[in-house]
Amino acid sequence: MYRDRYNKLSGWIRRKPYRYKLFLILYKTLPLLVMGTYGVMIFYGIYKLNREQWIRIIAVPAVTFLVVTVFRKLINEKRPYEAYDIQPLVYKSKQGESFPSRHMVSVVIIAMAGFYISVLLGSLLLLFSVLIGILRPAAGVHYVRDILGGFFFSLIMGIIGFYII
């Protein structure tokens, strides 16, 4: 069932060259845009945030990224292109470590850092996170559960790191 649904979706994207090109542009540039924004946030923090806030926007994402990296290695779930006979829209040779999606964890924790600075910035970054969360399973490199797992993991880590501790 997964293979049939994926092949139908990927076939629709591949059928028109402009769809496939747009898909690839978004797939590659949205994460870079979020990472670039995070870099700007760090530099902004040097001048506009107090020391504790600045350390927090660096430490919370770093700890979240490290924890999820270790967790993924322990769980070591197969990726869709490993488990099913599908041709992903984006070539990947990575084996395992599918759950949770580290891309999703990264962009959502950066969005949480954005919320810590500004609701508008956090909202924009969260929108980009949702788009990335749609593109990753559409590419065939993650399951929806990987995306949701990454989303909720970062949401929880962000609430704890930015608002509770």
Side-chain angles (χ1 to χ4, degrees):
M1 187 160 167
Y2 174 86
R3 182 178 50 227
D4 294 338
R5 283 185 300 182
Y6 180 76
N7 286 336
K8 186 176 180 179
L9 172 65
S10 64
W12 181 83
I13 293 170
R14 283 185 171 105
R15 230 180 332 276
K16 300 283 184 177
Y18 73 89
R19 279 188 220 148
Y20 186 59
K21 185 171 262 187
L22 177 61
F23 176 87
L24 291 176
I25 289 169
L26 291 172
Y27 180 87
K28 292 176 182 179
T29 59
L30 282 174
L32 294 174
L33 182 61
V34 172
M35 292 304 293
T37 303
Y38 182 57
V40 170
M41 287 166 50
I42 291 171
F43 283 109
Y44 169 85
I46 293 170
Y47 301 105
K48 297 292 184 178
L49 300 177
N50 67 42
R51 183 178 168 88
E52 179 191 332
Q53 291 172 317
W54 185 73
I55 289 171
R56 217 175 265 264
I57 66 167
I58 295 171
V60 173
V63 168
T64 302
F65 186 81
L66 290 173
V67 169
V68 82
T69 298
V70 170
F71 182 76
R72 283 164 43 107
K73 288 191 180 298
L74 294 173
I75 300 297
N76 200 27
E77 286 287 324
K78 287 185 177 183
R79 292 171 178 271
Y81 56 81
E82 293 177 88
Y84 298 95
D85 184 25
I86 63 167
Q87 181 66 37
L89 288 171
V90 177
Y91 173 76
K92 291 283 192 177
S93 59
K94 174 98 174 153
Q95 301 290 305
E97 299 181 21
S98 182
F99 181 83
S101 165
R102 198 165 40 197
H103 271 82
M104 184 54 60
V105 166
S106 299
V107 297
V108 172
I109 200 65
I110 290 169
M112 295 297 291
F115 276 113
Y116 187 65
I117 294 171
S118 156
V119 172
L120 180 61
L121 177 61
S123 298
L124 180 62
L125 290 169
L126 193 58
L127 173 64
F128 291 159
S129 299
V130 169
L131 292 173
I132 291 167
I134 292 168
L135 294 170
R136 303 293 292 175
V141 298
H142 279 291
Y143 296 105
V144 171
R145 70 167 189 239
D146 302 338
I147 300 303
L148 293 175
F151 179 87
F152 287 112
F153 180 79
S154 283
L155 187 65
I156 291 165
M157 292 293 284
I159 291 169
I160 292 169
F162 290 116
Y163 301 105
I164 295 177
I165 294 180

